[in-house]
Amino acid sequence: MERTLIKDLKENIGKEVLLKGWVSEIRDLSKVKFVIFQDRTGDIQSVANKTTEEASFNLISDLTKESVVEVIGTVKEHPESKWGFEVLIKSISVIAAAETPLPIDPSEKSQTHIDKRIDYRFLDLHSKRTQSIFRVQSTILQGFREFMYREGAMEVALPSIIGASSEGGTDLFQISYFEKHALLSQSCQLYKQMLACSMEKIFTVFTVWRAEKHNTVRHLNESRQFDYEEAFADDKKVMEVLGRCVQFIVKTVAEDRKKDLETLGVTLKVPETKYMTFEEIKQLMATEKVEMSEHDLSGEAEKKLGELYPDTVVFVHEWPIDGKPFYIMPSGKNSKGFDAIWQGMEITSGGQRVHDPVLLQERLQAHNLELDVFKDYIDSFRYGAPPHAGWGLGLERLTMLMLGLDNIREAVLFPRDRDRLTP
Ligand code: ATP
Ligand code: MG
């Protein structure tokens, strides 16, 4: 007999089916016993009574929660239940028993702290809520790729072990590499630029490592980024692409993940876009009495933007050159760098890049960075490098903000943070 998925039960009313899944609830009323179990497509109540095979009927009293069972039974209408039908058990057997007590409670009633849940992530992944978060994240990944293919961009795979820092500034993890000393990549900046300067339009889903010691609810030490880079483009062009990209991803999740959004209690609205210069933001924040520096947005300023412009991706552009990395193109006293803020937090940094080797050297010097270290990078622009621009969008940050999660650790399967290397 072939396995039926729980989502297909309503097409099988009156028929005998074979189901497999994880037990979430057992109610033993001695003459009649109920087992609620779930598979990847949903959950269902099954019921055992005097028509059930005796061994199976007895077995239910010893069942443990989260055990994996195989049920053979008949689908019956049952209008009073929340499903509208149930499965009358003919036989039930245990495929894999769960030991007791469970180290954490994966049921909806659970109030277990996030740290403990991640300690037992394998079991936390039995929880409907956790499953819904990562099904949404899967659709975010799919939406990003689909959008990019439609844009005519090509996906590339880039290295994570690098010989020298590609950005300067951020702390990097050091690793030993045979006789040499190497680093874990904190961005794929150099590589995506090289690719744009040949293949024109590229994207990648890239893991980055940042050895920053901060321990916040919005930072991880290992995170994933959606990176995009386009030749013959400026900051305006790639902001426009980013706006449509976020809209496409949100729309895809809203359409394809209705059930998961319901489980998570989230109503999604496709965001609008709004463009503001850094100068305009400064004036706005002065009016709103929110402090910020001369060349960077404060966390409070980002939060304020979220309050003033809900459901809007705010592009803060014409950023002061002092607030951006050396590879961002200067523009008068400002730059062609930007940040995108959504729901009160930065989701993306991007901009037009410096593609002229002479200007690049000047910019490196202005940042007190050694030219020697960046020789290969500078040289890559000597043989036909067009103007280009791009951005990096944090996957976990996006997931967190889309679902209104209060800690970025909820939005990553196996977080790497200041204190955590396992599981
Ligand atoms: P922030 O100012 O929020 O610390 P950043 O400016 O250092 O971020 P970028 O280097 O601009 O980050 O990275 C691009 C995007 O990647 C960010 O906008 C954010 O969405 C995400 N991101 C950056 N750092 C982290 C991190 N430590 N953990 C999770 N996501 C991150
Ligand atoms: Mg940034």
Side-chain angles (χ1 to χ4, degrees):
M1 200 175 187
E2 269 212 44
R3 178 188 180 195
T4 300
L5 290 169
I6 288 173
K7 76 170 169 55
D8 298 326
L9 284 180
K10 56 183 169 303
E11 283 114 58
N12 283 282
I13 293 182
K15 290 188 196 147
E16 189 168 280
V17 291
L18 164 70
L19 300 163
K20 295 182 189 192
W22 288 260
V23 173
S24 43
E25 232 181 288
I26 307 141
R27 266 185 301 140
D28 189 343
L29 309 177
S30 83
K31 289 224 161 68
V32 49
K33 299 175 185 180
F34 298 93
V35 180
I36 298 177
F37 62 99
Q38 61 175 27
D39 66 15
R40 67 177 194 274
T41 65
D43 63 0
I44 189 66
Q45 173 168 282
S46 61
V47 53
N49 58 21
K50 59 181 186 312
T51 67
T52 304
E53 285 175 8
E54 197 184 337
S56 290
F57 188 79
N58 293 337
L59 175 148
I60 294 173
S61 304
D62 298 326
L63 261 187
T64 52
K65 279 190 189 181
E66 306 308 324
S67 290
V68 184
V69 290
E70 189 174 289
V71 172
I72 295 175
T74 309
V75 189
K76 294 252 168 178
E77 298 220 44
H78 184 44
E80 298 91 70
S81 82
K82 72 169 184 186
W83 298 273
F85 46 85
E86 64 182 9
V87 176
L88 179 59
I89 303 174
K90 181 169 134 196
S91 68
I92 179 168
S93 56
V94 176
I95 297 177
E99 292 180 19
T100 50
L102 296 168
I104 58 162
D105 171 14
S107 79
E108 277 149 283
K109 294 161 214 141
S110 167
Q111 298 283 329
T112 314
H113 189 269
I114 174 82
D115 278 343
K116 187 136 189 236
R117 283 176 34 224
I118 292 167
D119 285 344
Y120 297 98
R121 194 56 132 178
F122 62 88
L123 191 54
D124 182 48
L125 280 161
H126 289 209
S127 133
K128 283 202 187 78
R129 214 184 114 74
T130 306
Q131 290 194 356
S132 287
I133 292 173
F134 293 104
R135 268 197 292 266
V136 165
Q137 190 165 74
S138 164
T139 302
I140 293 176
L141 282 153
Q142 184 196 341
F144 175 64
R145 289 202 162 95
E146 211 168 295
F147 174 83
M148 282 295 160
Y149 294 133
R150 288 186 194 187
E151 284 292 300
M154 179 184 99
E155 183 164 11
V156 296
L158 302 172
S160 292
I161 298 177
I162 52 173
S165 162
S166 47
E167 301 216 9
T170 354
D171 292 324
L172 289 109
F173 287 108
Q174 319 274 336
I175 53 169
S176 65
Y177 190 78
F178 304 112
E179 295 77 29
K180 293 199 177 86
H181 167 246
L183 302 158
L184 284 181
S185 183
Q186 90 274 44
S187 95
C188 58
Q189 191 60 33
L190 163 61
Y191 298 100
K192 65 177 178 172
Q193 288 189 249
M194 273 202 248
L195 264 299
C197 289
S198 49
M199 312 296 284
E200 294 197 32
K201 259 186 179 193
I202 61 101
F203 73 97
T204 186
V205 180
F206 192 72
T207 306
V208 300
W209 290 271
R210 310 225 163 150
E212 291 155 4
K213 288 188 173 144
H214 50 46
N215 209 342
T216 78
V217 294
R218 53 189 268 179
H219 292 99
L220 296 162
N221 291 102
E222 177 182 79
S223 69
R224 267 115 312 229
Q225 292 197 352
F226 291 159
D227 276 292
Y228 177 64
E229 202 73 21
E230 181 180 341
F232 309 106
D234 62 5
D235 50 343
K236 302 256 164 20
K237 178 68 211 297
V238 295
M239 283 192 276
E240 188 270 331
V241 173
L242 175 62
R244 281 188 295 111
C245 180
V246 175
Q247 286 168 337
F248 182 86
I249 293 173
V250 175
K251 188 164 168 280
T252 306
V253 171
E255 283 169 5
D256 295 359
R257 289 293 172 204
K258 290 201 175 74
K259 206 173 138 203
D260 293 303
L261 293 171
E262 202 179 299
T263 301
L264 296 163
V266 173
T267 315
L268 278 185
K269 253 179 141 170
V270 175
E272 292 169 26
T273 56
K274 182 175 177 64
Y275 291 81
M276 294 180 83
T277 65
F278 193 89
E279 194 53 43
E280 286 169 337
I281 298 281
K282 252 172 47 185
Q283 284 168 17
L284 177 66
M285 292 305 150
T287 324
E288 296 287 335
K289 304 204 168 20
V290 173
E291 273 188 53
M292 59 179 270
S293 84
E294 281 300 301
H295 47 72
D296 211 352
L297 289 184
S298 59
E300 294 82 76
E302 291 179 5
K303 210 167 142 223
K304 191 71 189 177
L305 286 177
E307 285 164 21
L308 293 173
Y309 309 110
D311 302 309
T312 305
V313 178
V314 182
F315 291 103
V316 184
H317 61 115
E318 292 186 27
W319 201 281
I321 188 71
D322 290 344
K324 283 290 166 194
F326 68 86
Y327 52 77
I328 290 290
M329 182 68 95
S331 171
K333 67 175 173 31
N334 292 321
S335 76
K336 296 203 175 195
F338 67 86
D339 274 11
I341 315 296
W342 184 47
Q343 320 282 52
M345 225 179 265
E346 177 192 324
I347 52 165
T348 310
S349 284
Q352 185 176 336
R353 322 303 189 182
V354 177
H355 62 285
D356 169 33
V358 178
L359 180 56
L360 192 53
Q361 286 175 352
E362 280 173 27
R363 296 306 309 148
L364 281 160
Q365 278 162 339
H367 281 257
N368 292 318
L369 292 165
E370 280 179 53
L371 295 186
D372 285 359
V373 178
F374 290 91
K375 185 177 180 306
D376 291 348
Y377 180 63
I378 301 164
D379 288 348
S380 77
F381 300 108
R382 292 192 194 282
Y383 310 97
H388 57 283
W391 41 256
L393 167 64
L395 169 64
E396 294 87 357
R397 202 60 82 74
L398 183 66
T399 310
M400 171 192 186
L401 295 171
M402 190 182 286
L403 299 179
L405 306 172
D406 53 16
N407 189 329
I408 197 165
R409 289 161 186 78
E410 297 274 5
V412 53
L413 282 165
F414 302 104
R416 294 292 173 258
D417 63 25
R418 183 78 180 88
D419 306 310
R420 187 183 284 281
L421 264 176
T422 55

